[in-house]
Amino acid sequence: MGSQKNVKPKEAERRAKIQAAREAQRKAERRKRNIIIGVVILVVAAIVAAIAVVVVSGNNAKKEADAPATIPTEFEKGASIIISDNGVGEANPDLDTLTIYYSYSCHACAYLDSVAGPAITKAAQEGAFNLELIPVANVDYPWRGPATNAVLQVAAYEPDKFIDFHLALSDYFNEQFNEKQDDTVMADLDKSVAKVKEIAEQVGIKSDVIAKFGDDADAYTDITTEEWRNADVDYGDSSLATPEVVYNKKVLTWTVSDDGDDILNQFLDQMKELGYTDPRS
């Protein structure tokens, strides 16, 4: 029979210490592993939560971006912008009306406004006629949305600045598109929004009015464009296009001129042929 030697007391004590140390090390490594796992779980949870916040925020931002831009109450049904000797927004019932359908992204409209706009609006302010301005959705440039929305806000909340702002927008478009042939800003929505606000600041529009500016005016121009296309007017040799200048249901024609008064007189002469009498004369 084999024999088993007795373990000496000192050797037994040494082995016990080694066993205890190994056990302690295993427990320490287990605690360390558990801590690491816990930290990883917390980090993953934090990342998931952060992603959720970003997704929700992104969805909210998209909803806000997709929401229709606000149109001032007085223009919600497609009302035109009136200029007369009573000011902006109030027609003189004793005067005839000259109507202009136009688009803020139409290069011919910008040219007409830039060259003859000061003379035409001045005549309206002097009591020659009620000037009825009707922005429509013609020529699809990103610039049109923020420009149209902005003029509606100004016409509603700071009408005494409307003419300056309207003409400044046309001057800018005419200069960039017709003179410099550079549509960098007008072809980019974000740049258009920023430039429209910058022009508003330059003509002295109040900050609280500028804060109302939106990116588009589709809810408004959907109405005015439909009415424009279905309007009962005599086009003569003309066709549906902007700018469309109308008096007494007749589309008036004009030839290019660098003299704004000359263009105004072209309109006045045709109006007189249709029965118009200038109250100023």
Side-chain angles (χ1 to χ4, degrees):
M1 290 179 61
S3 63
Q4 183 175 3
K5 296 181 179 179
N6 292 329
V7 179
K8 295 180 180 181
K10 288 186 177 180
E11 179 64 18
E13 182 180 350
R14 185 181 70 81
R15 290 183 180 182
K17 288 180 179 180
I18 292 173
Q19 183 66 27
R22 287 176 178 174
E23 184 64 26
Q25 184 177 1
R26 281 197 296 270
K27 290 181 179 180
E29 288 177 351
R30 189 161 53 247
R31 284 197 301 271
K32 182 178 179 181
R33 187 166 55 251
N34 290 339
I35 291 173
I36 291 173
I37 292 172
V39 170
V40 169
I41 291 173
L42 290 174
V43 170
V44 171
I47 292 173
V48 171
I51 292 174
V53 169
V54 170
V55 170
V56 171
S57 298
N59 289 338
N60 289 339
K62 185 177 186 301
K63 289 178 182 178
E64 292 177 3
D66 291 344
T70 301
I71 302 298
T73 303
E74 61 204 80
F75 294 110
E76 286 180 343
K77 295 183 179 180
S80 55
I81 302 168
I82 300 294
I83 302 173
S84 75
D85 55 354
N86 288 329
V88 174
E90 184 179 353
N92 184 333
D94 298 324
L95 299 178
D96 289 353
T97 297
L98 178 67
T99 300
I100 301 180
Y101 295 94
Y102 68 101
S103 168
Y104 280 102
S105 56
C106 159
H107 71 281
C109 302
Y111 176 83
L112 177 62
D113 274 330
S114 185
V115 175
I120 295 172
T121 53
K122 181 181 178 184
Q125 290 175 302
E126 292 175 344
F129 44 71
N130 294 309
L131 178 61
E132 181 182 33
L133 299 178
I134 305 179
V136 297
N138 194 34
V139 187
D140 193 17
Y141 254 112
W143 171 266
R144 187 187 69 218
T148 305
N149 187 287
V151 296
L152 295 176
Q153 304 296 343
V154 173
Y157 300 110
E158 202 168 358
D160 59 316
K161 293 289 185 179
F162 169 79
I163 294 175
D164 288 343
F165 185 45
H166 164 70
L167 295 179
L169 290 172
S170 295
D171 284 344
Y172 178 78
F173 193 98
N174 183 61
E175 176 187 36
Q176 295 298 306
F177 191 95
N178 295 326
E179 297 177 11
K180 296 182 178 180
Q181 297 183 346
D182 180 3
D183 66 354
T184 302
V185 172
M186 290 88 72
D188 185 284
L189 180 59
D190 290 339
K191 292 179 180 178
S192 293
V193 169
K195 178 56 70 172
V196 167
K197 291 181 178 180
E198 179 184 323
I199 293 173
E201 292 172 352
Q202 290 172 350
V203 300
I205 305 298
K206 295 176 182 176
S207 59
D208 61 329
V209 176
I210 294 176
K212 298 177 186 293
F213 290 5
D215 292 359
D216 72 77
D218 293 348
Y220 174 82
T221 55
D222 284 351
I223 298 171
T224 59
T225 303
E226 184 68 18
E227 292 178 348
W228 167 49
R229 290 172 177 166
N230 294 315
D232 179 19
V233 297
D234 178 5
Y235 283 94
D237 295 329
S238 302
S239 58
L240 186 72
T242 52
E244 182 175 291
V245 183
V246 180
Y247 171 73
N248 199 16
K249 296 187 177 183
K250 172 72 175 179
V251 174
L252 308 182
T253 60
W254 57 287
T255 57
V256 173
S257 171
D258 290 332
D259 185 341
D261 289 323
D262 174 51
I263 295 177
L264 170 61
N265 288 329
Q266 291 181 44
F267 293 143
L268 290 174
D269 288 343
Q270 294 172 76
M271 291 166 66
K272 289 173 182 177
E273 293 176 0
L274 296 170
Y276 169 76
T277 299
D278 194 334
R280 300 173 300 170
S281 58

